[in-house]
Every structure is written in structure tokens, then in C-alpha cells.
Amino acid sequence: GLIFFNAIFYSEIKDERINNINNNIEKLIIQYDELGQNKDKAAQRQILNEALLLIEEGSVFEFNDLFELLKLDIQKREKLFNNIFLVSNSDKLLIFENNFANSFFPNKLVSNSYLIWILDSGSGRIFQYTISDNSFIEIFRQNNFINDILLGEPITMSYDQFGKKLFILDSNNNLFVKKLNNQLDVYSLDSFSSNVKFVDDMEIYNDDLYIYDSNLNEILLSKFQNTAQNEYFKFTNLIKLEEKILGIDFNKKLLLFTSGNIWQYNDSLIEFSCLGIDEFPSKISDVIFGESYEQIFIADNERNRIIECNNGKDFKGQWVNKDFIDIKSLFYDSNNQNLYALTSSSIFEIEISE
């Protein structure tokens, strides 16, 4: 009889206590989410610690379904707070075979929703991959002739999503413009400036042509609109940094980055920090804009991850993959809202969703 009485008494205490714990955890979740809007990280950490203590206390009882759900909610928020919440929807769109090309060293990728172009600096070629039928063709090869012009080593390329043109820059300072009808225009960059000799990166946006010269360590701007093939380009010096710039991107604002820093430029340089990130990367290989200048993707080769920052400043999430080894290039295709990541062995396709 005493054992039966104790069992009933314990059951009532257990039910009352677990209900109180559940109610308190629910309140803490509401408080945590409200603080999230104001980025009060210290208060959020305190609330998480309180909730984790309640979960530890509740674990001595039998779990009910509500407790299990609340526990999962808190653990999810803890992972997100500590920035170890991983987005796993990254699939290998293409794996490069060993015999794909001699000395294959891909280092740049651009896309226009159904075509992907890969610049291979190892063999001095550019390949075009058609997603729908998995076909590969070569569209550019070093030491070939186009319009009686000897092709140099392809240095970089950019895709103008407005004009639907592919821009290719070679080591002979020739700028090739490939249009949808496969017409190819050629411009000589020798006319850019007597000082411009080492263009490492370029971006085309609404007929604005941005180039980065690693020798000058300067970003320069010119108008591409209404420029005839035999006319001179007129450049203005836009930005000069002490640190070595690794690359640029443009979407209403100019983006430039080094291995450990990122800036946005719109009349003035503003350092980019991505609030809420666990640790800012120190081995950045590429940074690009997404759908707008308020969405930014960062390739962090130190931790095999791609970071997404929204609203131009806040950490949103990250993709971490052991196969993200030495990411060479990122490209956001606004037509299909996919993010592509290029490594030395694969192309990854990442679906971006809200």
C-alpha cells in the first residue's frame, strides 16, 4: 500500500514539475526570439543557459512529447547561436574526371541558368557546360586564332546578366565579348592605359566596366557603352588599398575583398563585418553578391564553408562540407536562384531558399 501511495504521489509531482518546466521553457523561447530582433547576444546567451538547465532538470523525469519538442527547439537555437547550424542542401552538379584536361586547374565559374562556363588556367581554355544535357564544349583555347587575333592565356571572365554577354580577358590584354548569337567582338585593352598591365579581375554591370590591376593594386572604372572596337577606353582611378585585393564583385555597389577583410564601396569604403558570425574568416577565396547587394556569400577555405550574410551585415547561415576543399569561385545565378561553388575537382549546386 505504501509503495502504491508513493507511486501515485511521485506521478503527481512529476507531472506538475514537468509541466512547470515546459511552461518556463516556452516563455524563455519567446523571450529569446524577441531579443533576436535586437541582436542582444549577451541576453540571448543567458536565456539559452537557463533553458539548458531546465532541460537538464527535466531529463530526470520521463519525457513527454511537448518536452521533447521544446528540447529540440532549444538545441536548434543553441546551434544557430553558436553558428554551427549547417545548411546541407549542397549537391555535386559535376565531378571533373582525371582525364578531363592536362594540368587541369579551374579557377573561375560564371553561369546564365542553363550554361556554366569554367575557366581553366592550367590548360589555358574555357569550357562551356550545358546543364540540361551534361554536354561539354570548348569555347576558348590559348594560342588559337579568333578574327586573326592570337588568343592569350584566359585571365578572368565575367557575365553580364543584363546584356547576356560573356566577357573574357586574356593575357594579351584582349577583351572578348561573346553574345547569345555567338557573335564575338574583340577589344584591345592596350588602349586602357599605359600603366594597366596586370588585370586580375573584372566586373561588368550596366555597361560599367570595373577592372582590378594587381600591379597597381587599384580598381579602375570605364564606360563600355557605345565603345567601338577601335576606340580608346577612358579609365578613372576608383580605389587603391594598401592590402592586396583578391577580387571584386558588383551589384549596385562594388564589393572588394582581401584574404581577411571585405569592403563595400558606394562613394566611400565601408568595412563589412557580418554580425553574429562565430569567427570572421581569415582565408577568404571569393566573395559575391546574391539577389541584391544586401545578400552576400563568402567562401571560407579555412573551415570548408560558404557563409551567407543578409541585410548587408547580418549572419544568416552557412554550408559546411568536407568536400569544400580550396573553393576557387562562387557565382550566384539570379535566374534560377542557385549558388554555384567551384573547387579543383567539382562544381557544387546550392539551392538558396528563404
Side-chain angles (χ1 to χ4, degrees), residues 65 89 95 112 208 270:
D65 292 340
N89 56 330
I95 300 174
N112 76 341
D208 286 336
I270 300 175

Side-chain angles (χ1 to χ4, degrees), residues 309-337:
C309 302
N310 271 7
N311 303 317
K313 61 181 180 179
D314 300 324
F315 172 84
K316 182 180 180 183
Q318 60 187 339
W319 293 263
V320 178
N321 191 319
K322 62 180 177 58
D323 293 329
F324 286 169
I325 300 173
D326 194 18
I327 298 173
K328 307 291 185 182
S329 176
L330 298 176
F331 189 82
Y332 179 80
D333 193 329
S334 59
N335 294 315
N336 55 22
Q337 296 184 332

Side-chain angles (χ1 to χ4, degrees), residues 132-325:
S132 57
D133 61 8
N134 300 319
S135 63
F136 248 105
I137 61 171
E138 176 188 298
I139 65 167
F140 189 101
R141 181 195 286 259
Q142 181 180 358
N143 296 327
N144 275 6
F145 283 89
I146 293 181
N147 298 353
D148 296 325
I149 294 178
L150 179 66
L151 303 184
E153 176 190 356
I155 300 300
T156 187
M157 60 182 177
S158 179
Y159 185 70
D160 177 13
Q161 301 196 50
F162 297 96
K164 301 187 183 304
K165 301 173 184 176
L166 178 67
F167 291 77
I168 302 168
L169 177 70
D170 75 358
S171 56
N172 295 329
N173 270 355
N174 292 318
L175 180 64
F176 301 88
V177 185
K178 185 177 184 295
K179 303 176 182 178
L180 280 181
N181 59 5
N182 286 325
Q183 179 184 346
L184 192 68
D185 295 335
V186 185
Y187 300 83
S188 174
L189 270 67
D190 289 335
S191 61
F192 273 20
S193 166
S194 59
N195 296 323
V196 176
K197 296 179 180 177
F198 300 94
V199 179
D200 282 13
D201 202 1
M202 68 176 178
E203 285 297 322
I204 310 290
Y205 190 89
N206 278 346
D207 294 317
D208 286 336
L209 173 61
Y210 296 85
I211 64 171
Y212 166 60
D213 186 305
S214 59
N215 183 52
L216 299 173
N217 204 37
E218 288 188 6
I219 297 171
L220 304 101
L221 169 65
S222 178
K223 284 290 182 182
F224 189 79
Q225 189 176 16
N226 299 325
T227 303
Q229 294 188 53
N230 59 351
E231 286 185 352
Y232 286 82
F233 284 83
K234 294 180 180 179
F235 271 85
T236 57
N237 298 66
L238 198 62
I239 302 170
K240 183 177 179 64
L241 286 183
E242 295 300 322
E243 297 182 64
K244 179 175 173 55
I245 299 170
L246 295 183
I248 59 176
D249 195 46
F250 199 95
N251 188 336
K252 295 184 180 179
K253 294 182 180 180
L254 182 65
L255 189 70
L256 57 151
F257 64 95
T258 65
S259 61
N261 289 297
I262 303 169
W263 294 268
Q264 288 188 27
Y265 178 83
N266 188 13
D267 297 328
S268 63
L269 275 177
I270 300 175
E271 190 169 353
F272 180 80
S273 58
C274 196
L275 299 176
I277 197 170
D278 52 349
E279 187 173 353
F280 201 78
S282 58
K283 196 178 178 182
I284 299 170
S285 61
D286 202 7
V287 185
I288 62 167
F289 285 114
E291 184 68 29
S292 72
Y293 64 86
E294 292 191 338
Q295 183 182 41
I296 289 176
F297 298 99
I298 306 168
D300 178 11
N301 277 337
E302 193 171 12
R303 296 174 180 81
N304 305 99
R305 63 178 176 169
I306 299 169
I307 303 160
E308 180 183 358
C309 302
N310 271 7
N311 303 317
K313 61 181 180 179
D314 300 324
F315 172 84
K316 182 180 180 183
Q318 60 187 339
W319 293 263
V320 178
N321 191 319
K322 62 180 177 58
D323 293 329
F324 286 169
I325 300 173

Side-chain angles (χ1 to χ4, degrees), residues 7-23 61-64 66-67:
I8 294 175
F9 182 70
Y10 173 76
S11 178
E12 291 177 354
I13 294 176
K14 179 197 71 175
D15 291 341
E16 181 181 358
R17 185 61 188 143
I18 200 71
N19 287 333
N20 288 336
I21 289 174
N22 287 344
N23 291 334
F61 302 104
E62 288 183 30
F63 296 158
N64 60 21
L66 177 59
F67 183 85

